[in-house]
Amino acid sequence: MTQPDPSNALRCIPSLDAFLRRQNLASVTRGVAARESRRFLDSIRSEVLAGNLGEADVSDLFDSSRAEHTVLARCDAAQATHHGRVINATGIVLHTGIGRAPLAAAAQAAIVDAAGYAIVEVDPKSGVRNQREVCISMLLEDILGVEAALVVNNNAAATTLVLAALASGREVITSRGELVEIGGGFRVPDVMRQAGCRMVEVGTTNRTHLSDYESAIGPDTAMVLKVHTSNYRVVGFHGTPDLSELVTVAHQHGLLAVEDLGSGLVFDGEVAGLVNEPRVSDSVATGADLVCFSGDKLLGGPQAGILVGNRDVVARVRAHPMYRAMRCDKLTLAALEATLRIYRDGDPGTEIPVLCAVGRTREELREPADRLVALFAASGSVVLQQAVVIESDSFAGSGANPAHPIPSLAVAVPGGERVCEVLRNGPGIPVFTRIAEDRVLLDMRSLEGEDLDLVATEVIRKLSGSRG
């Protein structure tokens, strides 16, 4: 069968310059309009050459305003900020997909202040170059009573750097029940291998005894590593030695004792939503040589991996060549400093958003939940007038306090996946929610600290189809 001649259809496609002169595109930045128009015109040519579009199709496309509207939509999408603000109504306070810990107001201000030139590796008094994490180390020494500290770009980097600097070419003993895999494929055995260590597994999946560690110690052993099973729990017949016991055994044999603590709860006060979550201060008190934890989880700061412990051991880690590839930039340092100053000099229980959100009781969430329903009811939206307050379960998230749901309240709206998608992708600030029994839930726990008038405005705008 003879393919139709595409020449006439191709002649119906305007040139780039002619297309850009169309009035509908006049309001778009020239560079954006040119790029997206060129891509659109090229795609139409490809469809014509593939035999998918004929002369009538192309003429109709460009004689109407459909082509301009398509390009305008592409321009809007191209100019939309990708790493922008969202509203977290999922009930997962430390939601990895949308940035984990929201920063305290002081940390947000510190980032803005440091966005230009900022102190990083120089002593302002003497003008002499110094170490970039010196201020962070001093704050952590005051807060935790440690000898020294180091900060890198996340806790996975901290663990990798510690293993490479302290145990490369030697053996590291760890329990089979702690060979975890966390999000993104970070697996303890793989990290050991990449760091040049030889992993020695001891015990079984559910039970490891102190004698298992002692029996595995040999002339090539460098370290005993304990890994907090942040994102899962073994229940039933299980057990593993306490860190204090491992520290004693390690030090009796001249070995290092290191703990990867994961979430890193630095706050020593009571938090209603956290059940048996280990605290950094307790691990430090065992005399472990190093304790590693995250900055953007229960600490409530920016993404960072924090190492605290013995001064000489920290210095060995810092001296490793890989440290330079993992160090933090000025914005992270500024935000982390501001966060740690709250722990040292302020009131973290009321100033750190994560602790506020996780710590609120279901009763404390009742008033804001009722208020959000009232705002929806006044909107005139048929869908939102059906909103009701229901009991729900929320979570700390990001491996913190796993398998322990936190009683919460949510505002339930009918509509299921369709409404959920509109709330994420409609005009304005994306609103992330979750679905239960074909209803969209806006969980009040993760809305802690949000301006409820703003939340209501964004939801109403999206579900009413208004771009106001």
Side-chain angles (χ1 to χ4, degrees):
M1 182 176 177
T2 305
Q3 292 288 333
D5 184 357
S7 301
N8 289 335
L10 289 173
R11 279 193 287 270
C12 293
I13 302 174
S15 68
L16 177 61
D17 286 341
F19 187 69
L20 288 173
R21 286 195 294 270
R22 297 198 173 192
Q23 188 172 359
N24 287 331
L25 298 175
S27 62
V28 183
T29 303
R30 174 77 181 187
V32 176
R35 183 185 66 245
E36 298 305 321
S37 296
R38 183 181 297 107
R39 290 174 177 173
F40 174 71
L41 296 176
D42 287 345
S43 70
I44 299 302
R45 290 189 188 93
S46 297
E47 290 295 299
V48 169
L49 294 173
N52 297 327
L53 293 176
E55 180 181 356
D57 300 315
V58 178
S59 294
D60 179 64
L61 178 65
F62 288 101
D63 288 344
S64 68
S65 59
R66 285 195 298 125
E68 292 103 295
H69 288 158
T70 299
V71 171
L72 284 172
R74 291 188 175 196
C75 290
D76 286 344
Q79 294 180 98
T81 301
H82 182 74
H83 297 291
R85 178 185 176 180
V86 305
I87 292 171
N88 179 11
T90 65
I92 302 171
V93 178
L94 297 170
H95 195 303
T96 299
I98 50 179
R100 291 185 177 165
L103 295 177
Q108 295 181 39
I111 288 177
V112 173
D113 190 50
Y117 293 113
I119 296 293
V120 178
E121 288 186 358
V122 63
D123 181 348
K125 292 182 179 180
S126 66
V128 175
R129 184 169 180 168
N130 66 359
Q131 297 178 347
R132 66 173 52 203
E133 74 287 346
V134 62
C135 174
I136 303 299
S137 182
M138 288 190 297
L139 285 166
L140 287 164
E141 289 164 25
D142 287 346
I143 295 164
L144 294 170
V146 294
E147 293 182 4
L150 190 66
V151 57
V152 291
N153 54 26
N154 63 22
N155 196 46
T159 303
T160 304
L161 180 61
V162 166
L163 291 169
L166 304 176
S168 181
R170 300 185 66 190
E171 295 176 347
V172 175
I173 303 173
T174 192
S175 169
R176 285 190 174 89
E178 297 173 359
L179 300 181
V180 302
E181 175 180 336
I182 61 174
F186 180 90
R187 312 176 83 192
V188 169
D190 294 342
V191 172
M192 292 261 199
R193 195 159 40 248
Q194 290 297 320
C197 306
R198 297 193 301 277
M199 182 176 65
V200 178
E201 306 172 36
V202 296
T204 62
T205 303
N206 61 316
R207 287 188 72 82
T208 304
H209 301 279
L210 193 62
S211 58
D212 294 325
Y213 287 90
E214 292 179 292
S215 298
I217 294 173
D220 287 336
T221 306
M223 179 191 300
V224 172
L225 175 67
K226 186 171 183 61
V227 181
H228 178 51
T229 54
S230 297
N231 53 1
Y232 72 95
R233 283 285 184 269
V234 177
V235 297
F237 185 64
H238 72 98
T240 187
D242 292 335
L243 178 62
S244 58
E245 296 176 288
L246 296 181
V247 169
T248 299
V249 167
H251 289 176
Q252 284 174 347
H253 292 82
L255 308 177
L256 295 172
V258 175
E259 182 176 32
D260 178 351
L261 193 53
S263 296
L265 180 57
V266 171
F267 184 58
D268 280 332
E270 292 298 319
V271 183
L274 298 179
V275 180
N276 299 323
E277 182 69 23
R279 285 175 162 79
V280 177
S281 57
D282 291 335
S283 294
V284 167
T286 66
D289 298 288
L290 279 182
V291 178
C292 310
F293 57 95
S294 294
D296 57 348
K297 295 183 181 179
L298 293 178
L299 179 71
Q303 178 180 298
I306 300 169
L307 302 80
V308 297
N310 178 279
R311 182 179 295 104
D312 292 338
V313 177
V314 170
R316 288 171 59 190
V317 175
R318 192 187 193 284
H320 193 277
M322 282 174 56
Y323 164 70
R324 185 176 179 83
M326 298 176 175
R327 64 188 184 177
C328 296
D329 74 325
K330 62 184 180 182
L331 300 184
T332 299
L333 293 171
L336 185 57
E337 176 188 350
T339 302
L340 293 174
R341 286 188 183 279
I342 292 173
Y343 280 89
R344 191 188 67 175
D345 305 325
D347 182 5
T350 61
E351 295 180 65
I352 300 294
V354 168
L355 298 178
C356 294
V358 174
R360 297 190 78 181
T361 64
R362 183 175 273 170
E363 291 71 26
E364 291 173 312
L365 297 173
R366 173 64 63 178
E367 188 278 330
D370 289 341
R371 182 159 176 261
L372 190 57
V373 166
L375 290 169
F376 287 164
S379 69
S381 164
V382 175
V383 172
L384 291 176
Q385 286 176 342
Q386 301 174 61
V388 294
V389 178
I390 65 170
E391 293 186 349
S392 65
D393 285 332
S394 58
F395 291 88
S398 292
N401 212 42
H404 291 293
I406 309 172
S408 187
L409 291 177
V411 174
V413 177
E417 183 59 44
R418 181 188 64 81
V419 170
C420 190
E421 183 176 347
V422 169
L423 291 176
R424 284 198 316 273
N425 298 307
I429 303 172
V431 181
F432 280 72
T433 59
R434 73 177 192 271
I435 298 175
E437 298 179 354
D438 205 35
R439 292 190 294 184
V440 175
L441 304 188
L442 291 91
D443 197 297
M444 302 310 298
R445 184 164 304 284
S446 54
L447 288 174
E448 158 69 32
E450 288 284 7
D451 179 344
L452 289 186
D453 289 325
L454 173 65
V455 174
T457 297
E458 292 300 325
V459 173
I460 292 166
R461 169 166 41 182
K462 294 169 191 296
L463 295 187
S464 67
S466 169
R467 288 183 175 270

